[in-house]
Structures are given as structure tokens and as C-alpha cells.
Amino acid sequence: MRWDIFCRVIDNHGDLGVCWRLSADLAQRGHTVRLWVDDASALAWMAPQGCTGVSVHAWPNDETLQVLAQDKTFEVGDVVVEAFGCELPETFQALMAQGTPPVWINLEYLSAEDYVARSHGLASPVMSGPARGASKWFFFPGFTAGTGGLLREPHLSARQAAFDRASWLNALPIDKAIDANERLISLFCYEPTALPALLSQLSQTDQPTRLLVAQGRPKTAVVAATQALNMSSHGAGQLHISALPYLSQIDFDHLLWSCDLNFVRGEDSLVRALWAGQPLVWHLYPQDDLAHHDKLIAFCQALHMPEDLMAFHLAWNGVQNPSNSELPRMALDTWRVWAQRTQQLLQAQTDLTSQLLSFVAQKR
Ligand code: TRH
């Protein structure tokens, strides 16, 4: 089938990260995808190699849409995906109303909260605008049956089985080669108040530790935290801090597969860390109304997280007393058992793209 996927980059990289991953997954299954995005610049490092079957288009302005409307050869896709409620341009909606209406999907944000299973797959009639009377279908990713599932491309486990950790780490462009006896921790976060506590905890552990810091906000946050601690930006004691360049999504997976603990954030890197099967700590996208606290608790409970890992999550996300910047101790052995079990549990679930394809087949 032919797909039109619309994506607005709010801030950070997850909107585009998810839409690209979905587009590439569909294309690799033989579909043709047009990805319409207002700011595609992050694809330069996220997916430098592009993907056959995916064409990237600037978010269409009225002029472009007028041209498309006159272009007799232009056809709206069989499926239109409005990612994260990004509101399709009215003129495009008018094009959708001509001819056979496409299946209109609103792909929602990922959450483990109860409302997801209740809302997933429901139709919402379009009450106004040129597509009035059409139905928009709400598709909610999720961790449990009754939701739309999680993005997991078909060849992922084959890739993981073939991965050569040692040679990938050796080729990593960082300040100092990684030592075999170093514990590896990746850091992808916003600005957690507990970051200084993490750095000082890691500098005093009993094992040499390498913190691999992702480019962008994590790197800036680490510089600020080391200054606050009067610590060198390269770390101290048992801790050595290495800044990473922006990695492609493929290499970002390799980072997660190589580390003994992954600090991830937002939505897409959380799912990739779950597939990595290594201990993870999730930093939620902070929301003013603290809605992310409920989202976090629901996640910890839905995935039966060990108590101490949940306590670590609450501290890392500043739940309870945000001023508390202390962190509980890490228990990587028990956290790894949980991560492996959770990976197996979630891999048994039908992946999001497969569920989306059968959902669309019913609605066409
Ligand atoms: O960047 P994020 O914080 O995006 C967030 C979430 O999507 C959140 O749901 C949304 O509300 C908010 O944006 C607006 O975190 P996320 O979701 O993990 O997306 C990051 C993407 O960037 C992910 O696809 C991984 C990718 N990435 C790389 O490929 N290479 C890198 O070097 C880095 C740092 C990220």
C-alpha cells in the first residue's frame, strides 16, 4: 500500500525518531511511504543512509498543496497517518475527501496507563473542515494486549545475534579507548536534578565505569553537573566520562546493546532499550502538570519493575521530593534479570507495524 505519514517536530527527536522508524519498517515490508515533516534536519545523523521506499517531503505549505491539487497524477495514499495529533493541513484533508477516502490513523504517544487499552482502535468522527464526516482512527502504542504494541522491525533479533560488540566499541570515535574491565553506562536524558548525584555515585563505585554521554541536552547537562561538582568534565575516581557524537538510529541500538546500563528518555529510545535486554532507567519528558509522574508509575507497575529499580526511577525523575537529589544504589544483577524477562515478555507481543497493517486491512 501507499502511505502518507505526517510528522511535526515539537522539540527533541522522538516525533521524527518514531515516524522514521515506522516509515522504514513499512518500506522494508514492501510498502511505499511519503514522510511529510516540518523539520527533517535530524535525519542527517539519525538515518544518513535513508531507506528505499521512503521519500521525505517538507511539510506541505498551501502553495505546494495547490500544485498537488492541480496535479492529476498525484494521489493521496491508501493510509494517512497523523502522528501524535499533528493536525493535517486543511487542503490535504480536502484532497483526502475526493475519490476513495484513505484510512486515517492518528498515531498516539506511548504510555502504559489504563486509558490506552480503552482508547486504542476507537474511531473519532471528523466534525469540521473539508474532511467532515470522515472517521479518524486512534492507534495507541502500548506494552500489553489490547493496545497497538511496540515498534519492532522483523529483522531486529537477527541483527542483535550478529552484533560484534568488541569491534563496534573499538571503532567508536571517543576520547579514550574502552577497557575490557570497564562497566559501560549510556546516558540519554533531559536535565535530571539527580545527575550530579549519579556522577558522584559512579566516581566512588568499586568498578571502573565509562559513562557514554549522548550528544545534545545530555552532554550539556553533564558539563553543568561536573562543574557543580567541581569535577573534571572527563570524570573522576572510578568514573571516566566520554562524549558521543550524534549516532544513527542503527548505531544508537548498538550503543544500547553494548552497555551494562542504559539511561534513556522520551519514547523511542525507551523501546529500543527494552529490546536491548539490558538494565535501563527511563527519564520521562517532563510535563508541567506532572502528568509524566502517573505515566512513570503506570510503566513501573505494568512491567513489574523490582522495587529498588522503581525507587531509582522515582528519584531520577524527581517524583516525590524533586529537591531530593540523592539516588539509591544500583543493583545491576537483579535489574538485568528483570530486563531480560521483560524483553522476552514484550517480544511475544505482535509488533506495532504488524498490528497497524491488520487494523488498516479491516478498515479499508
Ligand atoms: O528525543 P526525545 O526526548 O523525544 C521526545 C519523545 O518522543 C516524547 O514522546 C515527545 O513527547 C517529545 O520528544 C516531544 O526521546 P526519544 O523518544 O527517545 O527520541 C530520540 C530519538 O533520537 C530516538 O529515535 C533515538 C534517536 N537518537 C539517535 O538515533 N542517535 C542519537 O545519537 C541520539 C541521541 C538519539
Side-chain angles (χ1 to χ4, degrees):
M1 291 186 286
R2 292 161 308 124
W3 299 64
D4 282 306
I5 299 182
F6 285 81
C7 170
R8 272 198 190 286
V9 177
I10 316 264
D11 55 8
N12 305 307
H13 309 303
D15 304 286
L16 183 55
V18 168
C19 290
W20 176 262
R21 205 178 290 285
L22 173 62
S23 302
D25 193 353
L26 285 165
Q28 278 150 10
R29 298 179 196 222
H31 298 258
T32 306
V33 182
R34 281 188 293 238
L35 175 57
W36 305 85
V37 53
D38 56 351
D39 176 3
S41 52
L43 288 179
W45 48 264
M46 208 184 267
Q49 76 292 350
C51 179
T52 312
V54 181
S55 57
V56 181
H57 304 261
W59 186 277
N61 57 28
D62 279 347
E63 193 190 328
T64 321
L65 287 160
Q66 289 313 330
V67 167
L68 290 180
Q70 312 304 331
D71 174 354
K72 292 290 163 258
T73 63
F74 178 79
E75 282 187 349
V76 167
D78 306 300
V79 189
V80 175
V81 177
E82 180 178 340
F84 311 115
C86 62
E87 286 304 316
L88 302 182
E90 289 242 329
T91 324
F92 193 87
Q93 291 186 38
L95 290 174
M96 289 163 68
Q98 293 158 8
T100 331
V103 179
W104 186 349
I105 299 281
N106 182 42
L107 178 64
E108 279 295 333
Y109 285 110
L110 173 62
S111 174
E113 290 159 290
D114 292 347
Y115 72 83
V116 166
R118 283 200 305 272
S119 324
H120 171 61
L122 296 186
S124 139
V126 178
M127 311 300 276
S128 64
R132 195 169 47 153
S135 270
K136 201 188 286 192
W137 300 94
F138 280 75
F139 199 88
F140 280 78
F143 302 90
T144 53
T147 68
L150 301 170
L151 278 171
R152 188 180 75 250
E153 66 279 18
H155 57 280
L156 177 59
S157 23
R159 261 186 64 206
Q160 286 177 303
F163 178 56
D164 179 345
R165 177 178 183 275
S167 64
W168 186 79
L169 287 171
N170 282 338
L172 205 52
I174 48 175
D175 61 327
K176 177 171 169 265
I178 283 167
D179 220 301
N181 71 342
E182 278 183 290
R183 181 175 57 171
L184 302 188
I185 300 179
S186 70
L187 179 67
F188 182 48
C189 58
Y190 302 109
E191 292 77 30
T193 43
L195 183 51
L198 175 72
L199 298 182
S200 48
Q201 188 185 105
L202 294 180
S203 67
Q204 296 153 33
T205 57
D206 54 359
Q207 190 180 358
T209 298
R210 180 73 67 102
L211 189 67
L212 296 168
V213 182
Q215 187 54 270
R217 290 173 69 172
K219 186 175 173 193
T220 313
V222 164
V223 169
T226 51
Q227 282 165 354
L229 291 167
N230 272 327
M231 181 190 279
S232 145
S233 60
H234 296 285
Q238 295 278 47
L239 172 64
H240 185 97
I241 298 170
S242 296
L244 294 171
Y246 274 116
L247 302 172
S248 67
Q249 281 191 330
I250 289 172
D251 273 329
F252 194 75
D253 275 341
H254 296 157
L255 173 71
L256 299 176
W257 302 349
S258 300
C259 289
D260 304 297
L261 172 65
N262 291 307
F263 285 88
V264 288
R265 78 184 200 196
E267 165 163 344
D268 190 53
S269 60
L270 168 66
V271 176
R272 301 315 285 183
L274 287 165
W275 299 141
Q278 298 288 8
L280 67 91
V281 175
W282 179 33
H283 193 200
L284 280 84
Y285 182 70
Q287 285 163 291
D288 304 344
D289 55 359
L290 300 187
H292 60 298
H293 289 179
D294 297 340
K295 198 169 166 175
L296 174 60
I297 308 281
F299 172 75
C300 297
Q301 289 171 346
L303 295 187
H304 314 295
M305 200 180 269
E307 280 300 305
D308 56 355
L309 181 53
M310 181 163 175
F312 198 99
H313 270 86
L314 297 180
W316 187 246
N317 285 276
V319 183
Q320 282 137 8
N321 40 356
S323 58
N324 165 25
S325 61
E326 281 318 303
L327 276 172
R329 306 213 53 75
M330 296 180 182
L332 294 196
D333 296 342
T334 47
W335 297 359
R336 184 169 301 105
V337 170
W338 168 79
Q340 298 278 326
R341 198 185 67 241
T342 306
Q343 178 199 40
Q344 261 109 48
L345 184 89
L346 293 174
Q347 274 177 340
Q349 182 198 61
T350 306
D351 71 278
L352 186 146
T353 304
S354 303
Q355 293 205 49
L356 181 57
L357 286 168
S358 43
F359 185 83
V360 165
Q362 289 161 20
K363 305 301 177 204
R364 281 188 83 197

